[in-house]
Amino acid sequence: MEPAARLEQVSYYYPGADRAALLNIDLEIRPGEMVGVIGATGSGKTTLCLALNGIVPQLYGGRFFGRVTVAGRDTLEHPISALASQVGMVMQDPESQIVTASVENEVAFALENLRVPRPEMRARIAEALAAVNLAGLEARHPHELSGGQQQRLALAAAFAVRPALIVLDEPTSQLDPRSTADLFALVRRLCQARGTACLVTGHASEEMAETAGRILVLSRGRLVAAGSPAEVYRDLPLLAREHLRPPEVTAAFSRLAERGVARGPVPVRLADGLAALPALPVPAAFSPAEAPRPAGEPPLLEARDVHYTYPDGTAALRGVSLEIRRGEYVAVLGQNGAGKSSLIRHFLKFMDPSQGELRIGGEPLAGFTTAQLARRIGYVPQNPDRQIFSATVEEEVAFSLRGLPLSPEEKEARTARALGALGLAGQRRSHPFSLSKGDRARVVIAAVLIMEPELLVFDEPTTGQDDAGARAILDLTRELNQAGRTIVVVTHHLSLMPPYARRVLLLGGGRVLLDGPLRAAYHAVDLLAQTDLRPTQAVALARASRPGNLAVTAEEFAGTYALPP
Amino acid sequence: MSTPEPLPEIDRPLGAERDLVPVSPASIGGAPVAYVVALSGVVAAFSFIPFSIALSAGSSFPMAQGIYALCGLILGPWAGGVASGAGALVGVLLAPHTAGLPWLTVGGAFLGAVFAGSLVGGRRRRPLRVAVGTLLAAEAVLFWQHAIGHNGVHPALFLEAYAAHGLAFALFLLPTRIAIERLILSPNLKRVALGLFLATWTATGMMMFTESFLGYYLLNWPEPVFRIFIGIIPAEQAARSGIGAVVGTGVIAGLRAMAVLRPRGAAY
């Protein structure tokens, strides 16, 4: 059977680059196969995706070696428009690839361009929307869909073309855990049902292990490992070397195996881990005391019964009340559409409440302008690229100081401090868009930090970051917190937060469902289920191991087996 | 075609290097249609912004006039002309308040990019430069003949009114044209900005002279209008060139940083 895609000794250099973005890649993807591609930021995952539909090198130029064929077509001998019928692309940000004003038209768009006859087009649209559970939403504007629905719409549009290969480049980095799991399961189901090959890149190791048939590991453009999820995720030295995170169940059982507690193959899927628990001894109960919340009046930020309803009648916030004290580190959790962004926008006065009141330092927020608030509350947006507009890193970072009554020496000192704190001193003359996404995020953080705000709000700061990059950013937030700043991190990456946040605000349906210590929140599985946030694998293992085991990380879970029962 | 740099011994690719021959028919003069559409969108968007520092023809001029030249420099004369003209056409339809004579606006947008494209490109574009130079010279002769010979406008007044456009033509004819190209190709963004300022001055100066020449045959404005032009034309030229320099430097810095495929006719 002809492979869906084949890469033969493929190497690629971007224009002007002296390091290969891809180097000597040999790969074959079979019809119906779901291949996961993992690797640190900058390892070549996106370049590999773009090489599969000819965008690399046809759009980017550069130097290209070897051969890529998709469904027998050489990607250098066919225009991208012709390859589009054989390779479907689903990108990281679903909004960036939505081009029409209705769900139905969005799926029809590619079919119209490929001149599919109208009756067949209708049939394919219905089939694709049913497959991704969007049937009935044909007339809805795509921007009215949740992030998960938008990504499923992008998938439907790709599948409707019936390509030989579908490439998904970090499709779940902006989705909540439930949507992520659903999308991976959906991709796997569609691949198997239709015999379409799928290549998925990303950092969602738990979902990769659950669904992919084969995992490839890229490192600095090279294919350094390939194998089944078990073969790859059990190789912890390789993962550590490549700054990759194994599934939590694998990390936990690896530690137990090292201590001689667990025997047999280390599981990479949660079900296998849960099945292995009865063979283990009973662990100790684990319920450490929580650190007290910082005291002091008044709270730095308060919300009292805040409501907000959009003009179309959608209620985004329904009576949110909370207090954030100086020196706290708070994680705001909730699924897409829970009200997290609306709440943050109220903090910054980008939105005014329909009802209720917000206060900063005891004073009503209504008395401040957004510019005044910007000096007290720093906001780091989810997508750094939307905030960058200057030609050099230094200009970007120093921009916020322009209107402030500071001496040139003070401005220079602050700029140098912010650049130094973020490790950007050596790149001050670089164009921000010449940096990696992780470094661009650092530029934006530096630009916010330079204002020396009391409270820093990070909106999904780990999106699109590899494990090392995500931890580096969160380490920075912890350093800032230890230096006295108040930190609020909006996220749905639950597995990353335990070493950092002490308090969790769980939002769902525009309400605060839970406000309490992180450990209690992570084990409130019924509430998490209401918000489509599934407990992490470590929490699931701890709860299954014995009542009263409140471990929230793989290390803690493994540690409970070293404690007296 | 330049010889590729030798690759480092370590990391040597094992596969054969492939020639990157454009396989897509969707290009104009080597510039992908996607680029043309993108720049045309920018021109259309800028057409909505009246840049009214002066009222030359009884109305303000759209900000888009500052980036017609940029289209020609980035995409080459023909693709740039199409992008610029198409964008201006959309602007004329959707934002007529910023366009004086619609056909002149669209034609001017096309010519502005073509003139800018003719500024760069070395020997390859010499025939285009000769054509542009001949066209401008013919316009100057006919304009002079009509204004001074026929309508009796004072020659000094005519020369003063069109001094800024004359400067543009001089920059085009003299070796300054080569200096402008080198400035735009410089890695130093301040030099790029200077190059874009001069290129925009040159290309839009010649474009505005062409529009003025055609407009004069249509409207036959009286001598006092020439007196008003003495202050207005240089100010408008400076505004257009400033827009071209600021927007163009940002665009070129971004394009260089993102390392996307450079259109064949590009001068950055």
Side-chain angles (χ1 to χ4, degrees), chain A residues 15-210:
Chain A
D18 55 5
R19 187 173 76 79
L22 294 176
L23 190 67
N24 299 325
I25 304 283
D26 283 296
L27 173 65
E28 205 171 275
I29 305 172
R30 294 178 291 275
E33 188 183 20
M34 180 170 171
V35 177
V37 180
I38 59 176
T41 303
S43 59
K45 300 189 296 296
T46 297
T47 306
L48 176 64
C49 293
L50 298 177
L52 284 165
N53 69 353
I55 289 178
V56 157
Q58 289 194 37
L59 184 58
Y60 283 86
R63 298 179 70 182
F64 191 88
F65 302 78
R67 182 179 302 275
V68 178
T69 46
V70 178
R73 297 181 183 185
D74 188 320
T75 56
L76 255 70
E77 292 171 3
H78 294 80
I80 296 167
S81 54
L83 293 168
S85 64
Q86 294 302 322
V87 188
M89 288 286 285
V90 177
M91 308 303 284
Q92 186 172 344
D93 179 3
E95 282 193 3
S96 69
Q97 67 186 85
I98 287 172
V99 292
T100 67
S102 79
V103 166
E104 187 176 36
N105 284 342
E106 188 62 29
V107 181
F109 183 73
L111 303 176
E112 287 167 341
N113 279 279
L114 293 169
R115 294 186 292 179
V116 173
R118 201 174 179 82
E120 188 184 341
M121 197 188 300
R122 288 196 181 284
R124 285 204 206 180
I125 292 167
E127 185 188 16
L129 290 177
V132 301
N133 299 324
L134 289 177
L137 300 179
E138 287 82 355
R140 186 79 67 88
H141 195 293
H143 290 142
E144 292 171 7
L145 302 179
S146 70
Q149 287 174 321
Q150 286 181 346
Q151 203 57 292
R152 279 190 275 143
L153 174 58
L155 188 60
F159 263 103
V161 173
R162 296 185 180 161
L165 172 68
I166 290 197
V167 178
L168 301 101
D169 188 14
E170 301 203 22
T172 60
S173 62
Q174 298 183 20
L175 302 186
D176 57 47
R178 177 65 55 88
S179 304
T180 298
D182 288 350
L183 190 82
F184 268 91
L186 178 64
V187 170
R188 182 184 169 83
R189 204 167 59 241
L190 291 173
C191 285
Q192 288 176 337
R194 293 153 192 257
T196 308
C198 290
L199 182 137
V200 189
T201 74
H203 304 291
S205 48
E206 280 82 7
E207 284 73 22
M208 287 279 192
E210 297 282 346

Side-chain angles (χ1 to χ4, degrees), chain B residues 50-138:
Chain B
F51 213 78
S52 184
I53 62 155
L55 302 174
S56 60
S59 64
S60 61
F61 71 88
M63 193 172 172
Q65 285 187 1
I67 60 164
Y68 294 162
L70 183 66
C71 294
L73 295 170
I74 288 180
L75 300 175
W78 305 118
V82 171
S84 185
L89 179 62
V90 174
V92 162
L93 294 172
L94 298 180
H97 56 284
T98 63
L101 296 169
W103 62 270
L104 210 51
T105 299
V106 176
F110 176 80
L111 284 179
V114 172
F115 290 166
S118 75
L119 279 174
V120 293
R123 289 174 181 274
R124 204 159 29 96
R125 296 208 186 125
R126 181 178 279 177
L128 177 62
R129 270 195 294 281
V130 171
V132 169
T134 308
L135 174 73
L136 264 290

Side-chain angles (χ1 to χ4, degrees), chain A residues 293-294 324-332 455-456 458 461-462 470-471 473-482 485-491 496-505 516-518:
Chain A
R293 283 180 64 193
I324 294 173
R325 297 183 181 279
R326 284 188 174 78
E328 278 198 297
Y329 191 128
V330 182
V332 179
L455 171 65
L456 279 153
F458 293 83
T462 55
R471 288 191 191 283
I473 289 174
L474 291 174
D475 285 347
L476 178 72
T477 64
R478 181 165 56 193
E479 283 167 28
L480 292 167
N481 181 239
Q482 286 166 348
R485 294 197 205 282
T486 309
I487 303 291
V488 173
V489 174
V490 177
T491 186
L496 289 169
M497 294 314 295
Y500 306 98
R502 292 186 289 277
R503 179 182 162 204
V504 162
L505 279 168
L518 179 138

Side-chain angles (χ1 to χ4, degrees), chain A residues 9 11 13-15 18 23-24 57-68 74 76-79 222 391 431 433-434, chain B residues 4-8 11-21 23-25 32 35 189 250 253-254 257-261:
Chain A
Q9 297 186 331
S11 299
Y13 293 75
Y14 281 101
D18 55 5
L23 190 67
N24 299 325
Q58 289 194 37
L59 184 58
Y60 283 86
R63 298 179 70 182
F64 191 88
F65 302 78
R67 182 179 302 275
V68 178
D74 188 320
L76 255 70
E77 292 171 3
H78 294 80
R222 294 175 176 83
H431 194 288
F433 283 107
S434 68
Chain B
E5 292 284 317
L7 296 167
D11 298 350
R12 186 171 286 283
L14 299 173
E17 182 161 11
R18 308 284 299 276
D19 285 333
L20 301 189
V21 183
V23 290
S24 169
Y35 288 26
L189 288 179
M258 287 191 290
V260 291
L261 184 67

Side-chain angles (χ1 to χ4, degrees), chain A residues 287-308:
Chain A
S287 180
E290 298 292 343
R293 283 180 64 193
E297 290 294 337
L300 178 59
L301 194 67
E302 301 175 74
R304 292 180 188 168
D305 192 29
V306 171
H307 292 252
Y308 183 80

